[in-house]
mmCIF file with all atom_site columns, all heavy atoms in Angstrom:
data_model
loop_
_atom_site.group_PDB
_atom_site.id
_atom_site.type_symbol
_atom_site.label_atom_id
_atom_site.label_alt_id
_atom_site.label_comp_id
_atom_site.label_asym_id
_atom_site.label_entity_id
_atom_site.label_seq_id
_atom_site.pdbx_PDB_ins_code
_atom_site.Cartn_x
_atom_site.Cartn_y
_atom_site.Cartn_z
_atom_site.occupancy
_atom_site.B_iso_or_equiv
_atom_site.pdbx_formal_charge
_atom_site.auth_seq_id
_atom_site.auth_comp_id
_atom_site.auth_asym_id
_atom_site.auth_atom_id
_atom_site.pdbx_PDB_model_num
ATOM 1   N N   . ILE A 1 1   ? 6.441  32.634 -29.893 1.00 0.00 ? 1   ILE A N   1
ATOM 2   C CA  . ILE A 1 1   ? 6.676  32.875 -28.462 1.00 0.00 ? 1   ILE A CA  1
ATOM 3   C C   . ILE A 1 1   ? 7.312  31.650 -27.815 1.00 0.00 ? 1   ILE A C   1
ATOM 4   O O   . ILE A 1 1   ? 8.291  31.751 -27.082 1.00 0.00 ? 1   ILE A O   1
ATOM 5   C CB  . ILE A 1 1   ? 5.352  33.237 -27.739 1.00 0.00 ? 1   ILE A CB  1
ATOM 6   C CG1 . ILE A 1 1   ? 4.873  34.607 -28.224 1.00 0.00 ? 1   ILE A CG1 1
ATOM 7   C CG2 . ILE A 1 1   ? 5.575  33.304 -26.223 1.00 0.00 ? 1   ILE A CG2 1
ATOM 8   C CD1 . ILE A 1 1   ? 3.509  34.999 -27.718 1.00 0.00 ? 1   ILE A CD1 1
ATOM 9   N N   . TRP A 1 5   ? 10.914 31.563 -25.892 1.00 0.00 ? 5   TRP A N   1
ATOM 10  C CA  . TRP A 1 5   ? 11.008 31.124 -24.493 1.00 0.00 ? 5   TRP A CA  1
ATOM 11  C C   . TRP A 1 5   ? 11.987 29.966 -24.357 1.00 0.00 ? 5   TRP A C   1
ATOM 12  O O   . TRP A 1 5   ? 12.859 29.960 -23.493 1.00 0.00 ? 5   TRP A O   1
ATOM 13  C CB  . TRP A 1 5   ? 9.617  30.683 -24.001 1.00 0.00 ? 5   TRP A CB  1
ATOM 14  C CG  . TRP A 1 5   ? 9.683  29.846 -22.753 1.00 0.00 ? 5   TRP A CG  1
ATOM 15  C CD1 . TRP A 1 5   ? 9.862  30.286 -21.487 1.00 0.00 ? 5   TRP A CD1 1
ATOM 16  C CD2 . TRP A 1 5   ? 9.616  28.418 -22.680 1.00 0.00 ? 5   TRP A CD2 1
ATOM 17  N NE1 . TRP A 1 5   ? 9.907  29.221 -20.603 1.00 0.00 ? 5   TRP A NE1 1
ATOM 18  C CE2 . TRP A 1 5   ? 9.756  28.066 -21.310 1.00 0.00 ? 5   TRP A CE2 1
ATOM 19  C CE3 . TRP A 1 5   ? 9.448  27.394 -23.614 1.00 0.00 ? 5   TRP A CE3 1
ATOM 20  C CZ2 . TRP A 1 5   ? 9.736  26.731 -20.878 1.00 0.00 ? 5   TRP A CZ2 1
ATOM 21  C CZ3 . TRP A 1 5   ? 9.421  26.084 -23.179 1.00 0.00 ? 5   TRP A CZ3 1
ATOM 22  C CH2 . TRP A 1 5   ? 9.572  25.756 -21.823 1.00 0.00 ? 5   TRP A CH2 1
ATOM 23  N N   . SER A 1 8   ? 15.526 31.050 -24.678 1.00 0.00 ? 8   SER A N   1
ATOM 24  C CA  . SER A 1 8   ? 15.981 31.809 -23.508 1.00 0.00 ? 8   SER A CA  1
ATOM 25  C C   . SER A 1 8   ? 16.334 30.887 -22.337 1.00 0.00 ? 8   SER A C   1
ATOM 26  O O   . SER A 1 8   ? 17.238 31.165 -21.560 1.00 0.00 ? 8   SER A O   1
ATOM 27  C CB  . SER A 1 8   ? 14.935 32.830 -23.081 1.00 0.00 ? 8   SER A CB  1
ATOM 28  O OG  . SER A 1 8   ? 13.830 32.153 -22.507 1.00 0.00 ? 8   SER A OG  1
ATOM 29  N N   . ILE A 1 115 ? -3.484 27.962 -15.336 1.00 0.00 ? 115 ILE A N   1
ATOM 30  C CA  . ILE A 1 115 ? -2.506 28.755 -16.103 1.00 0.00 ? 115 ILE A CA  1
ATOM 31  C C   . ILE A 1 115 ? -1.364 29.202 -15.185 1.00 0.00 ? 115 ILE A C   1
ATOM 32  O O   . ILE A 1 115 ? -0.182 29.036 -15.499 1.00 0.00 ? 115 ILE A O   1
ATOM 33  C CB  . ILE A 1 115 ? -3.198 29.980 -16.760 1.00 0.00 ? 115 ILE A CB  1
ATOM 34  C CG1 . ILE A 1 115 ? -4.173 29.508 -17.847 1.00 0.00 ? 115 ILE A CG1 1
ATOM 35  C CG2 . ILE A 1 115 ? -2.160 30.951 -17.328 1.00 0.00 ? 115 ILE A CG2 1
ATOM 36  C CD1 . ILE A 1 115 ? -5.129 30.568 -18.363 1.00 0.00 ? 115 ILE A CD1 1
ATOM 37  N N   . LEU A 1 116 ? -1.721 29.760 -14.040 1.00 0.00 ? 116 LEU A N   1
ATOM 38  C CA  . LEU A 1 116 ? -0.698 30.248 -13.095 1.00 0.00 ? 116 LEU A CA  1
ATOM 39  C C   . LEU A 1 116 ? 0.255  29.135 -12.668 1.00 0.00 ? 116 LEU A C   1
ATOM 40  O O   . LEU A 1 116 ? 1.454  29.353 -12.507 1.00 0.00 ? 116 LEU A O   1
ATOM 41  C CB  . LEU A 1 116 ? -1.366 30.831 -11.841 1.00 0.00 ? 116 LEU A CB  1
ATOM 42  C CG  . LEU A 1 116 ? -1.915 32.245 -11.937 1.00 0.00 ? 116 LEU A CG  1
ATOM 43  C CD1 . LEU A 1 116 ? -2.583 32.640 -10.627 1.00 0.00 ? 116 LEU A CD1 1
ATOM 44  C CD2 . LEU A 1 116 ? -0.797 33.251 -12.268 1.00 0.00 ? 116 LEU A CD2 1
ATOM 45  N N   . GLU A 1 119 ? 1.753  27.200 -16.698 1.00 0.00 ? 119 GLU A N   1
ATOM 46  C CA  . GLU A 1 119 ? 2.261  27.887 -17.889 1.00 0.00 ? 119 GLU A CA  1
ATOM 47  C C   . GLU A 1 119 ? 3.684  28.420 -17.641 1.00 0.00 ? 119 GLU A C   1
ATOM 48  O O   . GLU A 1 119 ? 3.896  29.264 -16.789 1.00 0.00 ? 119 GLU A O   1
ATOM 49  C CB  . GLU A 1 119 ? 1.325  29.042 -18.272 1.00 0.00 ? 119 GLU A CB  1
ATOM 50  C CG  . GLU A 1 119 ? 1.778  29.835 -19.486 1.00 0.00 ? 119 GLU A CG  1
ATOM 51  C CD  . GLU A 1 119 ? 2.097  28.944 -20.694 1.00 0.00 ? 119 GLU A CD  1
ATOM 52  O OE1 . GLU A 1 119 ? 1.207  28.195 -21.156 1.00 0.00 ? 119 GLU A OE1 1
ATOM 53  O OE2 . GLU A 1 119 ? 3.241  28.994 -21.162 1.00 0.00 ? 119 GLU A OE2 1
ATOM 54  N N   . PRO A 1 120 ? 4.697  27.904 -18.395 1.00 0.00 ? 120 PRO A N   1
ATOM 55  C CA  . PRO A 1 120 ? 6.076  28.337 -18.122 1.00 0.00 ? 120 PRO A CA  1
ATOM 56  C C   . PRO A 1 120 ? 6.447  29.675 -18.786 1.00 0.00 ? 120 PRO A C   1
ATOM 57  O O   . PRO A 1 120 ? 7.434  30.297 -18.405 1.00 0.00 ? 120 PRO A O   1
ATOM 58  C CB  . PRO A 1 120 ? 6.916  27.191 -18.694 1.00 0.00 ? 120 PRO A CB  1
ATOM 59  C CG  . PRO A 1 120 ? 6.091  26.615 -19.792 1.00 0.00 ? 120 PRO A CG  1
ATOM 60  C CD  . PRO A 1 120 ? 4.651  26.846 -19.424 1.00 0.00 ? 120 PRO A CD  1
ATOM 61  N N   . ILE A 1 121 ? 5.653  30.092 -19.784 1.00 0.00 ? 121 ILE A N   1
ATOM 62  C CA  . ILE A 1 121 ? 6.021  31.310 -20.525 1.00 0.00 ? 121 ILE A CA  1
ATOM 63  C C   . ILE A 1 121 ? 5.319  32.522 -19.916 1.00 0.00 ? 121 ILE A C   1
ATOM 64  O O   . ILE A 1 121 ? 4.090  32.641 -19.958 1.00 0.00 ? 121 ILE A O   1
ATOM 65  C CB  . ILE A 1 121 ? 5.668  31.162 -22.030 1.00 0.00 ? 121 ILE A CB  1
ATOM 66  C CG1 . ILE A 1 121 ? 6.287  29.874 -22.586 1.00 0.00 ? 121 ILE A CG1 1
ATOM 67  C CG2 . ILE A 1 121 ? 6.138  32.371 -22.821 1.00 0.00 ? 121 ILE A CG2 1
ATOM 68  C CD1 . ILE A 1 121 ? 5.820  29.468 -23.971 1.00 0.00 ? 121 ILE A CD1 1
ATOM 69  N N   . GLU A 1 122 ? 6.096  33.437 -19.348 1.00 0.00 ? 122 GLU A N   1
ATOM 70  C CA  . GLU A 1 122 ? 5.545  34.583 -18.610 1.00 0.00 ? 122 GLU A CA  1
ATOM 71  C C   . GLU A 1 122 ? 4.591  35.438 -19.441 1.00 0.00 ? 122 GLU A C   1
ATOM 72  O O   . GLU A 1 122 ? 3.517  35.803 -18.978 1.00 0.00 ? 122 GLU A O   1
ATOM 73  C CB  . GLU A 1 122 ? 6.678  35.475 -18.052 1.00 0.00 ? 122 GLU A CB  1
ATOM 74  C CG  . GLU A 1 122 ? 7.335  34.928 -16.795 1.00 0.00 ? 122 GLU A CG  1
ATOM 75  C CD  . GLU A 1 122 ? 6.348  34.629 -15.651 1.00 0.00 ? 122 GLU A CD  1
ATOM 76  O OE1 . GLU A 1 122 ? 5.414  35.431 -15.432 1.00 0.00 ? 122 GLU A OE1 1
ATOM 77  O OE2 . GLU A 1 122 ? 6.499  33.563 -15.012 1.00 0.00 ? 122 GLU A OE2 1
ATOM 78  N N   . GLU A 1 123 ? 4.982  35.755 -20.677 1.00 0.00 ? 123 GLU A N   1
ATOM 79  C CA  . GLU A 1 123 ? 4.132  36.605 -21.543 1.00 0.00 ? 123 GLU A CA  1
ATOM 80  C C   . GLU A 1 123 ? 2.737  36.005 -21.714 1.00 0.00 ? 123 GLU A C   1
ATOM 81  O O   . GLU A 1 123 ? 1.729  36.692 -21.652 1.00 0.00 ? 123 GLU A O   1
ATOM 82  C CB  . GLU A 1 123 ? 4.745  36.707 -22.943 1.00 0.00 ? 123 GLU A CB  1
ATOM 83  C CG  . GLU A 1 123 ? 5.817  37.755 -23.110 1.00 0.00 ? 123 GLU A CG  1
ATOM 84  C CD  . GLU A 1 123 ? 6.396  37.620 -24.516 1.00 0.00 ? 123 GLU A CD  1
ATOM 85  O OE1 . GLU A 1 123 ? 5.733  38.074 -25.462 1.00 0.00 ? 123 GLU A OE1 1
ATOM 86  O OE2 . GLU A 1 123 ? 7.484  37.020 -24.640 1.00 0.00 ? 123 GLU A OE2 1
ATOM 87  N N   . VAL A 1 124 ? 2.722  34.703 -21.976 1.00 0.00 ? 124 VAL A N   1
ATOM 88  C CA  . VAL A 1 124 ? 1.451  33.989 -22.210 1.00 0.00 ? 124 VAL A CA  1
ATOM 89  C C   . VAL A 1 124 ? 0.625  34.000 -20.923 1.00 0.00 ? 124 VAL A C   1
ATOM 90  O O   . VAL A 1 124 ? -0.579 34.252 -20.928 1.00 0.00 ? 124 VAL A O   1
ATOM 91  C CB  . VAL A 1 124 ? 1.720  32.533 -22.680 1.00 0.00 ? 124 VAL A CB  1
ATOM 92  C CG1 . VAL A 1 124 ? 0.413  31.777 -22.882 1.00 0.00 ? 124 VAL A CG1 1
ATOM 93  C CG2 . VAL A 1 124 ? 2.538  32.535 -23.972 1.00 0.00 ? 124 VAL A CG2 1
ATOM 94  N N   . LYS A 1 125 ? 1.300  33.764 -19.819 1.00 0.00 ? 125 LYS A N   1
ATOM 95  C CA  . LYS A 1 125 ? 0.636  33.733 -18.510 1.00 0.00 ? 125 LYS A CA  1
ATOM 96  C C   . LYS A 1 125 ? -0.019 35.080 -18.219 1.00 0.00 ? 125 LYS A C   1
ATOM 97  O O   . LYS A 1 125 ? -1.158 35.140 -17.744 1.00 0.00 ? 125 LYS A O   1
ATOM 98  C CB  . LYS A 1 125 ? 1.686  33.405 -17.439 1.00 0.00 ? 125 LYS A CB  1
ATOM 99  C CG  . LYS A 1 125 ? 1.099  32.977 -16.104 1.00 0.00 ? 125 LYS A CG  1
ATOM 100 C CD  . LYS A 1 125 ? 2.169  32.840 -15.037 1.00 0.00 ? 125 LYS A CD  1
ATOM 101 C CE  . LYS A 1 125 ? 2.901  31.532 -15.100 1.00 0.00 ? 125 LYS A CE  1
ATOM 102 N NZ  . LYS A 1 125 ? 3.799  31.306 -13.945 1.00 0.00 ? 125 LYS A NZ  1
ATOM 103 N N   . LYS A 1 126 ? 0.692  36.163 -18.529 1.00 0.00 ? 126 LYS A N   1
ATOM 104 C CA  . LYS A 1 126 ? 0.161  37.518 -18.270 1.00 0.00 ? 126 LYS A CA  1
ATOM 105 C C   . LYS A 1 126 ? -1.125 37.775 -19.047 1.00 0.00 ? 126 LYS A C   1
ATOM 106 O O   . LYS A 1 126 ? -1.988 38.515 -18.615 1.00 0.00 ? 126 LYS A O   1
ATOM 107 C CB  . LYS A 1 126 ? 1.213  38.570 -18.631 1.00 0.00 ? 126 LYS A CB  1
ATOM 108 C CG  . LYS A 1 126 ? 2.274  38.740 -17.544 1.00 0.00 ? 126 LYS A CG  1
ATOM 109 C CD  . LYS A 1 126 ? 3.125  39.988 -17.807 1.00 0.00 ? 126 LYS A CD  1
ATOM 110 C CE  . LYS A 1 126 ? 4.238  40.101 -16.781 1.00 0.00 ? 126 LYS A CE  1
ATOM 111 N NZ  . LYS A 1 126 ? 5.589  40.018 -17.391 1.00 0.00 ? 126 LYS A NZ  1
ATOM 112 N N   . ARG A 1 127 ? -1.224 37.137 -20.215 1.00 0.00 ? 127 ARG A N   1
ATOM 113 C CA  . ARG A 1 127 ? -2.427 37.338 -21.038 1.00 0.00 ? 127 ARG A CA  1
ATOM 114 C C   . ARG A 1 127 ? -3.539 36.369 -20.655 1.00 0.00 ? 127 ARG A C   1
ATOM 115 O O   . ARG A 1 127 ? -4.524 36.231 -21.360 1.00 0.00 ? 127 ARG A O   1
ATOM 116 C CB  . ARG A 1 127 ? -2.084 37.155 -22.528 1.00 0.00 ? 127 ARG A CB  1
ATOM 117 C CG  . ARG A 1 127 ? -1.139 38.217 -23.074 1.00 0.00 ? 127 ARG A CG  1
ATOM 118 C CD  . ARG A 1 127 ? -1.246 38.286 -24.601 1.00 0.00 ? 127 ARG A CD  1
ATOM 119 N NE  . ARG A 1 127 ? -0.871 37.030 -25.244 1.00 0.00 ? 127 ARG A NE  1
ATOM 120 C CZ  . ARG A 1 127 ? 0.322  36.807 -25.818 1.00 0.00 ? 127 ARG A CZ  1
ATOM 121 N NH1 . ARG A 1 127 ? 1.250  37.747 -25.820 1.00 0.00 ? 127 ARG A NH1 1
ATOM 122 N NH2 . ARG A 1 127 ? 0.570  35.640 -26.384 1.00 0.00 ? 127 ARG A NH2 1
ATOM 123 N N   . ARG A 1 128 ? -3.327 35.656 -19.533 1.00 0.00 ? 128 ARG A N   1
ATOM 124 C CA  . ARG A 1 128 ? -4.284 34.646 -19.054 1.00 0.00 ? 128 ARG A CA  1
ATOM 125 C C   . ARG A 1 128 ? -4.570 33.599 -20.127 1.00 0.00 ? 128 ARG A C   1
ATOM 126 O O   . ARG A 1 128 ? -5.720 33.200 -20.359 1.00 0.00 ? 128 ARG A O   1
ATOM 127 C CB  . ARG A 1 128 ? -5.595 35.303 -18.602 1.00 0.00 ? 128 ARG A CB  1
ATOM 128 C CG  . ARG A 1 128 ? -5.436 36.257 -17.431 1.00 0.00 ? 128 ARG A CG  1
ATOM 129 C CD  . ARG A 1 128 ? -6.739 36.946 -17.111 1.00 0.00 ? 128 ARG A CD  1
ATOM 130 N NE  . ARG A 1 128 ? -7.601 36.100 -16.286 1.00 0.00 ? 128 ARG A NE  1
ATOM 131 C CZ  . ARG A 1 128 ? -7.783 36.274 -14.984 1.00 0.00 ? 128 ARG A CZ  1
ATOM 132 N NH1 . ARG A 1 128 ? -7.174 37.241 -14.347 1.00 0.00 ? 128 ARG A NH1 1
ATOM 133 N NH2 . ARG A 1 128 ? -8.587 35.463 -14.303 1.00 0.00 ? 128 ARG A NH2 1
ATOM 134 N N   . GLN A 1 129 ? -3.469 33.128 -20.755 1.00 0.00 ? 129 GLN A N   1
ATOM 135 C CA  . GLN A 1 129 ? -3.606 32.098 -21.783 1.00 0.00 ? 129 GLN A CA  1
ATOM 136 C C   . GLN A 1 129 ? -2.658 30.947 -21.474 1.00 0.00 ? 129 GLN A C   1
ATOM 137 O O   . GLN A 1 129 ? -1.829 31.042 -20.580 1.00 0.00 ? 129 GLN A O   1
ATOM 138 C CB  . GLN A 1 129 ? -3.259 32.689 -23.163 1.00 0.00 ? 129 GLN A CB  1
ATOM 139 C CG  . GLN A 1 129 ? -4.272 33.719 -23.643 1.00 0.00 ? 129 GLN A CG  1
ATOM 140 C CD  . GLN A 1 129 ? -3.823 34.371 -24.938 1.00 0.00 ? 129 GLN A CD  1
ATOM 141 O OE1 . GLN A 1 129 ? -2.631 34.495 -25.214 1.00 0.00 ? 129 GLN A OE1 1
ATOM 142 N NE2 . GLN A 1 129 ? -4.787 34.826 -25.738 1.00 0.00 ? 129 GLN A NE2 1
ATOM 143 N N   . SER A 1 131 ? -0.032 28.063 -23.424 1.00 0.00 ? 131 SER A N   1
ATOM 144 C CA  . SER A 1 131 ? 0.629  27.547 -24.628 1.00 0.00 ? 131 SER A CA  1
ATOM 145 C C   . SER A 1 131 ? 0.613  26.024 -24.595 1.00 0.00 ? 131 SER A C   1
ATOM 146 O O   . SER A 1 131 ? 0.229  25.424 -23.591 1.00 0.00 ? 131 SER A O   1
ATOM 147 C CB  . SER A 1 131 ? 2.087  28.020 -24.648 1.00 0.00 ? 131 SER A CB  1
ATOM 148 O OG  . SER A 1 131 ? 2.776  27.407 -23.555 1.00 0.00 ? 131 SER A OG  1
#
Side-chain angles (χ1 to χ4, degrees):
I1 292 173
W5 163 79
S8 71
I115 292 168
L116 280 178
E119 179 51 59
I121 307 169
E122 282 305 319
E123 276 175 77
V124 178
K125 195 187 278 189
K126 280 192 184 117
R127 294 201 299 259
R128 298 176 82 104
Q129 292 175 331
S131 66

